[in-house]
Amino acid sequence: MQPMKTLRRILERLASAENYLFSLDDLRCALPETEPGPFKALLSRAQRAGVLQRVCKGVYLYPRVNYPAGRVLFHAAAKLRADAFNYLSLETVLSDAGVISQIPLNWITLMSSGRSHIVDCGNFGHIEFIHTKRLPADIAEQLSYDPDCRLWRASVALALLDMKLTRRNTDLVDWSLADELV
């Protein structure tokens, strides 16, 4: 069977509203016998044919399922750094809590045990990872798991502390509201 047909058939079986993002490793496992050069060409053909949509480097979306469009960046961040300690923080958490007046559109911020890096996700937006040396055990009581985002989420107090420690601009913070929530 042709590799494109095989890829389509596998994606049709595996993809769902919960499982619509695939890493390069996921796709390689679907076609283990394909050599690196032809595999890269297959991904290009799959994108042109609309079988896959590139979210960012190494992460692809299967657009033929009903996926949660507003959560693609969050789910991509979880997939990109699955091997690191990450949590939503900074402007993302403060905006969701109403502590800063502006809502960052198509931009999410996470603290990560990995390196600091901004990932361009094209039309989906940007994912900003900020390095932290903190251990999960040290801040566990200030984190909660967000199943919709598939990521840990900082408390408002921790997000404010992260803002100060990373020397982010706090001019937009409504300190009277922040003091009520902390």
Side-chain angles (χ1 to χ4, degrees):
M1 186 181 303
Q2 294 177 344
M4 181 65 90
K5 285 184 181 180
T6 303
L7 180 63
R8 281 181 197 232
R9 198 170 280 167
I10 290 169
L11 290 171
E12 285 172 7
R13 274 196 321 247
L14 295 177
S16 67
E18 290 294 313
N19 188 32
Y20 62 95
L21 290 179
F22 298 91
S23 69
L24 282 175
D25 288 340
D26 297 335
L27 297 170
R28 281 301 278 150
C29 289
L31 300 162
E33 70 284 347
T34 308
E35 296 294 323
F39 179 73
K40 188 175 179 182
L42 173 63
L43 289 181
S44 288
R45 285 196 328 270
Q47 287 177 76
R48 284 194 305 274
V51 174
L52 290 172
Q53 183 178 355
R54 184 178 185 267
V55 175
C56 59
K57 185 178 180 179
V59 178
Y60 294 85
L61 179 143
Y62 183 65
R64 295 187 180 172
V65 295
N66 188 17
Y67 60 90
R71 296 287 184 227
V72 172
L73 279 179
F74 297 97
H75 298 168
K79 189 162 271 298
L80 279 171
R81 295 271 178 106
D83 60 341
F85 168 55
N86 306 296
Y87 62 93
L88 293 167
S89 188
L90 305 164
E91 294 89 354
T92 299
V93 168
L94 296 178
S95 175
D96 289 349
V99 175
I100 58 175
S101 57
Q102 293 182 349
I103 299 171
L105 294 174
N106 299 329
W107 192 289
I108 62 171
T109 51
L110 298 97
M111 300 300 290
S112 176
S113 63
R115 68 182 176 94
S116 293
H117 184 64
I118 296 174
V119 179
D120 182 359
C121 296
N123 294 334
F124 294 101
H126 293 83
I127 302 167
E128 184 176 6
F129 293 102
I130 307 296
H131 177 72
T132 183
K133 292 181 181 179
R134 287 198 183 108
L135 298 175
D138 296 340
I139 56 172
E141 68 278 352
Q142 295 183 66
L143 296 174
S144 60
Y145 187 73
D146 185 335
D148 290 336
C149 294
R150 302 179 191 166
L151 291 162
W152 291 99
R153 178 179 290 272
S155 65
V156 171
L158 180 57
L160 287 167
L161 179 60
D162 288 339
M163 290 284 284
K164 290 177 185 176
L165 293 174
T166 57
R167 296 186 180 105
R168 305 281 274 208
N169 186 341
T170 59
D171 290 347
L172 296 175
V173 174
D174 180 347
W175 289 105
S176 60
L177 183 58
D179 290 339
E180 287 178 24
L181 294 173
V182 174

